[in-house]
Amino acid sequence: MSHVIRSIRPEDWPAAKKLRLAALQDPVAHLAFLETYEDALAKPDSFWQERAAGAAEGETGAQQIVAEAPDGTWAGTLTVLLEEAGTTDWAGFDVDRRQGHVVAVFVRPEHRGTGLTKALFDAGLEWAWGRGAERVRLIVHEDNVRARAFYRKAGFVPSGVTVPLSGDGEDSELEMVIERY
């Protein structure tokens, strides 16, 4: 593989914005992301600058990792958030131990099946373990079959936690976890 797997730098914000907008145009974006392309496109550059700075190399609470091609284009990304015991997560659930939370996973279609997703996950897990995470989790839509299959292959297993996406209970997401060994 000729891609470099690395954490972003604050000045990478234009590339981070471009890749996020590409992710939000993916056919399964409605299952994978809690944001629309239109909403993301409307955000000012200051939003993207702050987002990149908060998940850049050297930050301790979050890390965005990318697969950079030799020509400098980004082929894929994921972000790991560090969640502390005693806090509440985005869905209102109590966090009972220090854990990583993988979000915003995306690999451009032409790079899927090449090992980039595994390389991104390996780097994300290494970052989380290096910060004392006891486990790493992610939340995946129950209908996102492709993502669920990859996560299982990467060692994540269902925890039994279900996160409802709407008040009517029609849509839900499943928590999958990998424990530190």
Side-chain angles (χ1 to χ4, degrees):
M1 176 173 40
S2 58
H3 290 75
V4 173
I5 307 300
R6 67 171 180 86
S7 295
I8 67 167
R9 297 177 290 270
E11 63 269 20
D12 288 332
W13 72 266
K17 175 183 177 181
K18 182 177 179 179
L19 191 60
R20 177 64 174 188
L21 292 174
L24 292 171
Q25 292 178 315
D26 191 83
V28 297
H30 67 288
L31 297 177
F33 305 108
L34 299 176
E35 177 179 42
T36 66
Y37 173 81
E38 293 75 20
D39 288 344
L41 187 62
K43 292 180 176 162
D45 286 347
S46 59
F47 169 84
W48 298 102
Q49 291 163 352
E50 289 171 23
R51 184 174 177 160
E57 186 174 42
E59 290 298 315
T60 58
Q63 197 77 178
Q64 183 176 356
I65 299 166
V66 295
E68 185 175 22
D71 67 0
T73 60
W74 288 5
T77 186
L78 64 70
T79 298
V80 182
L81 311 173
L82 198 57
E83 298 174 329
E84 298 294 343
T87 62
T88 303
D89 72 9
W90 66 274
F93 292 101
D94 292 332
V95 176
D96 63 356
R97 56 187 154 161
R98 183 171 231 198
Q99 62 190 12
H101 185 162
V102 175
V103 298
V105 178
F106 177 70
V107 172
R108 291 181 185 276
E110 63 271 22
H111 295 281
R112 293 177 187 156
T114 65
L116 282 181
T117 309
K118 181 181 181 327
L120 288 166
F121 267 83
D122 288 348
L125 290 171
E126 181 180 325
W127 182 85
W129 302 146
R131 269 115 204 112
E134 296 176 36
R135 73 176 192 161
V136 174
R137 71 181 186 138
L138 53 84
I139 309 293
V140 60
H141 195 282
E142 61 190 352
D143 294 335
N144 195 343
V145 177
R146 182 184 77 211
R148 286 175 53 201
F150 173 81
Y151 300 149
R152 279 186 181 277
K153 187 176 175 183
F156 287 80
V157 296
S159 70
V161 173
T162 302
V163 180
L165 289 177
S166 61
D168 60 14
E170 290 288 317
D171 264 348
S172 62
E173 294 194 321
L174 310 171
E175 180 186 68
M176 297 181 77
V177 300
I178 188 168
E179 300 287 335
R180 185 172 188 175
Y181 297 107

